[in-house]
Amino acid sequence: MATLLHIDSSAFPGEASSSRSVATAFRKAWEEQHPGGTVIYRDVAANPVPHITADAWSAGYVAPSERTPEQSAAFAARVKLIEELEQADAILIGAPMYNYSIPSTLKAWLDNVLLLGRTAGETPSAQGTPVVVVASRGGSYALGTPREGYEFVQNYLEAVLEGTLGLDLDFIVPELTMAPRNPAMSELVPLYEASRERAFEDAATKAKELAERLAA
């Protein structure tokens, strides 16, 4: 049965987080299709992975026999994350927009799993693995909006996940999530509600389609 790697990075718990809520809907639909499957779950907000260090970085370019004890320990932690990525048949990532970019905890995970000569390079080890990113945001940064130039989540993740790791990338984008909480955005509540409904529908649909694709 298929293995799903699920990464959450929102600082907010449960239904207080749009990215978590939509990702949970995706995972539920996925598990309905794969009742005997495996889910590897990492909440990098609740349990952060180490930010990349000089030892963890340099160890990737040193022969195992020549690594210092500090390099060996730091690299072992990276390898565990990399192996989770490599064994996944599909990947689900919750990536809320914080200050126009992804949470630092998610960036730390990416810095750890990106290893030139293994997960990155001419033949990335997880190349072709489908990844669905729930990229929630409090406003709208879509093409044609006043803040389209501040969209650094999808652009960045396209470069890293698709361009560098070679993954098969798809996005679900719940937007305007601050509208119900910000009086200045009250007129945007109907657009938020439509976006939220569409995101949940996309999550269920994409999970089922991906399950069928992997089973074929």
Side-chain angles (χ1 to χ4, degrees):
M1 297 297 290
T3 296
L4 175 69
L5 174 61
H6 178 185
I7 308 291
D8 267 330
S9 63
S10 173
F12 298 94
E15 295 184 1
S17 165
S18 292
S19 66
R20 286 182 185 273
S21 297
V22 175
T24 296
F26 181 102
R27 177 172 166 175
K28 180 179 178 181
W30 170 273
E31 290 177 325
E32 288 174 354
Q33 299 296 314
H34 295 283
T38 300
V39 175
I40 301 170
Y41 180 63
R42 281 195 175 271
D43 185 338
V44 296
N47 298 289
V49 302
H51 282 275
I52 201 75
T53 64
D55 285 330
W57 185 270
S58 60
Y61 305 98
V62 177
S65 61
E66 298 177 2
R67 292 173 187 154
T68 66
E70 293 78 13
Q71 285 178 319
S72 295
F75 193 66
R78 286 188 73 187
V79 168
K80 179 174 177 59
L81 299 174
I82 288 169
E83 288 176 343
E84 290 176 353
L85 175 75
E86 292 173 335
Q87 75 182 83
D89 297 293
I91 304 164
L92 171 65
I93 300 175
M97 178 185 280
Y98 290 168
N99 300 317
Y100 310 119
S101 187
I102 62 173
S104 64
T105 51
L106 180 56
K107 178 63 163 57
W109 179 80
L110 288 167
D111 286 342
N112 275 280
V113 300
L114 208 161
L115 179 60
L116 187 63
R118 182 165 175 174
T119 60
E122 292 186 7
T123 55
S125 55
Q127 186 170 19
T129 303
V131 54
V132 174
V133 176
V134 181
S136 60
R137 59 275 316 276
S140 179
Y141 301 83
L143 293 177
T145 63
R147 291 200 168 189
E148 66 173 284
Y150 291 83
E151 168 35 79
F152 300 114
V153 171
Q154 288 178 262
N155 293 343
Y156 170 71
L157 291 177
E158 284 173 359
V160 175
L161 298 176
E162 189 172 58
T164 304
L165 295 176
L167 306 179
D168 182 5
L169 177 61
D170 198 2
F171 284 104
I172 300 173
V173 186
E175 61 180 9
L176 300 168
T177 62
M178 287 298 297
R181 304 183 185 92
N182 186 347
M185 298 174 67
S186 59
E187 65 181 21
L188 299 175
V189 168
L191 292 177
Y192 151 74
E193 291 174 342
S195 176
R196 178 179 173 82
E197 182 178 354
R198 184 167 56 251
F200 279 107
E201 291 174 352
D202 284 350
T205 299
K206 291 179 186 295
K208 292 175 182 177
E209 289 177 349
L210 185 52
E212 291 173 357
R213 169 180 156 189
L214 292 174

